[in-house]
């Protein structure tokens, strides 16, 4: 009896897989027919010629300067408050290449203590493990 019920169930399941309409066989729009492709057109200016070898490009752009301007916005005027803060911090006394020498192994560092080390080494996040306690 069990085998008969199992066989009937399998036959009914397999008959449901047959074709004819259904959820996956419905008509849907053609995604490529949504818009027409523009025809290929030859550019109207035929006077363009490739540059001769060895000549500088007509629109030579310094890519590193363009990248720096895109990232940092280029030189901008500082506000009076920002200029006063930088002057008070000793802007005139800073070495020009200080950022490149900050990670140098020969750079002298000052030991700030275990508390500062624990704060810097604390894991990211705001969970219980990410909190650093400072002694009072």
């Amino acid at each position: 009896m069990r085998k008969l019920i199992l066989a009937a169930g399998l036959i009914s399941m397999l008959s449901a897989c047959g074709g004819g309409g259904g959820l996956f066989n419905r008509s849907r729009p053609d995604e490529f027919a949504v818009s027409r492709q523009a025809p290929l057109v030859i550019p109207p200016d035929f006077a363009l010629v490739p540059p001769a070898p060895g000549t500088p490009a007509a629109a030579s752009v310094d890519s590193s300067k363009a990248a720096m301007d895109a990232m940092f916005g280029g030189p901008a005027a500082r506000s009076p408050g920002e200029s006063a803060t930088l002057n008070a911090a000793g802007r005139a006394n800073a070495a020009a290449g200080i950022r490149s020498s900050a990670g140098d192994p020969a750079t002298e560092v000052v030991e700030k203590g275990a508390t500062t080390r624990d704060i810097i080494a604390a894991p990211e996040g705001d969970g219980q493990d990410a909190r650093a306690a400072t002694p009072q």
Side-chain angles (χ1 to χ4, degrees):
M1 184 69 184
R2 237 185 209 179
K3 291 182 182 179
L4 183 63
I5 294 174
L6 181 62
L10 285 174
I11 290 172
S12 64
M13 290 172 116
L14 285 175
S15 67
C17 293
L23 178 65
F24 300 110
N25 211 2
R26 60 183 169 77
S27 62
R28 56 182 73 83
D30 183 13
E31 62 270 11
F32 297 106
V34 173
S35 65
R36 295 186 181 269
Q37 295 286 341
L40 295 176
V41 178
I42 298 174
D45 188 10
F46 299 108
L48 296 175
V49 293
T55 60
S60 60
V61 177
D62 183 17
S63 60
S64 62
K65 183 178 180 330
M68 294 299 280
D69 288 344
M71 287 191 299
F72 301 111
R78 299 196 185 275
S79 67
E82 188 177 4
S83 295
T85 304
L86 289 171
N87 289 335
R91 172 181 23 188
N93 301 333
I98 190 66
R99 290 185 180 178
S100 61
S101 65
D104 186 22
T107 302
E108 295 180 23
V109 294
V110 177
E111 180 62 39
K112 295 288 187 176
T115 303
T116 305
R117 185 190 68 232
D118 292 342
I119 291 172
I120 292 173
E124 292 183 20
D126 57 356
Q128 180 65 29
D129 296 335
R131 296 189 181 146
T134 54
Q136 299 293 338

